[in-house]
Amino acid sequence: MKYFPFELLGLQDKDTIILFTHEWALEGTKNYFNRVKLKQSIKWLNKNNYKFSFLK
């Protein structure tokens, strides 16, 4: 996501939202902002009563 949280707001009426990232995109200091965006996205989803699960 480039413009968090605006992209999440555009998805808020969807019944399913999939967040995907590669592990390497969260490691190291240069990827700090990616970790922040992921954490904030999870907080937003939780606040908006989304349920979490893993894809099978």
Side-chain angles (χ1 to χ4, degrees), residues 3-46:
Y3 302 105
F4 167 83
F6 299 112
E7 292 180 35
L8 282 176
L9 289 173
L11 298 171
Q12 78 183 75
D13 294 327
K14 303 286 184 184
D15 63 349
T16 302
I17 298 174
I18 297 172
L19 293 181
F20 174 83
T21 188
H22 293 281
E23 184 177 349
W24 60 262
L26 298 174
E27 295 177 343
T29 56
K30 70 177 187 174
N31 292 318
Y32 171 77
F33 193 59
N34 289 340
R35 289 191 302 275
V36 169
K37 289 191 295 184
L38 180 61
K39 287 179 185 179
Q40 292 301 316
S41 296
I42 292 169
K43 286 180 183 180
W44 184 90
L45 292 165
N46 187 51

